[in-house]
Amino acid sequence: MQAFDKTGYRDYVEKLRSRLKDTRPPPDPTIIGYRGAYRDLPAEFESAAKGEARIAAVLVPLVRREPVPTVLLTRRTENLPDHPGQVSFPGGSAEPEDTDAVATALRETREELGIPAERIDAIGFLEPYRTITGFIITPVVGLVEPGPLKPDPREVAAAFEVPLDYLLCASTFQLREKEVNGHRVAYYVVSYEGEVIWGATAAILQKFCGLLT
């Protein structure tokens, strides 16, 4: 795939804005079911994931790079209680002071990476995603102005960017299966320069790229 030029970047931003302009976060995200790779899991997985829901939000950050825009990701530290060592979007659980999913995503991005809200333009939402660990994640798509990062070493082991043209290649997303409690579960995997992206993060990335293809 050819590299993006400045016009190409603007075109993709306009397409994103157009396709996200009417999206809203669900008033009650607990109504959605858990999905692996956007496929329904067996009923026992659905019921097991329904316990005490943990409402969360992540930022899907498209960074304004020329000639190729990028998606910013983090690798979590190994000492975190939830999903240690995994690649993820900046984000986390909602706090009582958060007014909505955007507030959660922006606060967590500031805390994890030191990116102030002034550098982020939140333009819409993707379908919420429920993990088997009980999180209900609302993805907030945001355009990010480039600038310095200040990763929190307690939460972020590494921060890196993946070129958008790489993610838009059809061969980038590999669908794999594993056995969980006697059931075959499908999930996406993306590999990039030694980093392995899978699970909810890869599924949300695939959904995001679907807006642009």
Side-chain angles (χ1 to χ4, degrees):
M1 182 175 291
Q2 293 182 347
F4 292 67
D5 58 19
K6 292 183 179 180
T7 301
Y9 173 79
R10 289 196 297 269
D11 287 344
Y12 273 91
V13 168
E14 289 175 5
K15 183 178 291 187
L16 279 173
R17 288 188 185 278
S18 174
R19 295 186 176 181
L20 293 170
K21 66 179 181 179
D22 295 323
T23 59
R24 299 287 187 274
D28 181 6
T30 62
I31 63 175
I32 69 167
Y34 170 80
R35 294 180 180 185
Y38 293 96
R39 298 180 179 185
D40 290 338
L41 285 182
E44 52 266 44
F45 282 88
E46 177 83 10
S47 60
K50 279 182 178 176
E52 186 65 27
R54 302 168 69 182
I55 305 302
V58 298
L59 184 72
V60 182
L62 186 66
V63 184
R64 184 178 60 79
R65 300 290 188 191
E66 305 291 1
V68 182
T70 61
V71 175
L72 176 63
L73 295 164
T74 71
R75 179 163 29 89
R76 297 165 63 81
T77 57
E78 295 289 348
N79 62 334
L80 290 173
D82 297 305
H83 307 286
Q86 293 186 16
V87 173
S88 66
F89 295 108
S93 297
E95 298 291 346
E97 66 270 20
D98 296 336
T99 55
D100 54 19
V102 173
T104 300
L106 295 184
R107 175 183 54 76
E108 289 282 348
T109 301
R110 183 185 70 252
E111 293 174 357
E112 293 180 15
L113 294 173
I115 302 176
E118 293 75 19
R119 279 172 48 197
I120 303 171
D121 180 11
I123 62 173
F125 305 88
L126 302 180
E127 178 185 0
Y129 189 99
R130 183 164 197 158
T131 72
I132 203 168
T133 53
F135 285 94
I136 300 177
I137 304 169
T138 298
V140 180
V141 178
L143 308 177
V144 179
E145 288 295 317
L149 301 179
K150 297 179 181 178
D152 182 347
R154 298 169 298 180
E155 297 189 54
V156 179
F160 61 98
E161 298 177 28
V162 182
L164 185 58
D165 57 355
Y166 177 80
L167 293 171
L168 293 178
C169 289
S171 61
T172 296
F173 290 84
Q174 302 295 318
L175 191 61
R176 298 180 184 175
E177 291 187 345
K178 64 179 179 180
E179 186 170 311
V180 180
N181 296 338
H183 295 278
R184 302 300 295 177
V185 179
Y187 64 99
Y188 285 112
V189 174
V190 176
S191 298
Y192 178 74
E193 294 189 350
E195 301 287 354
V196 179
I197 309 161
W198 65 285
T201 302
I204 292 169
L205 263 181
Q206 196 269 348
K207 186 75 169 181
F208 171 73
C209 291
L211 295 173
L212 299 170
T213 56

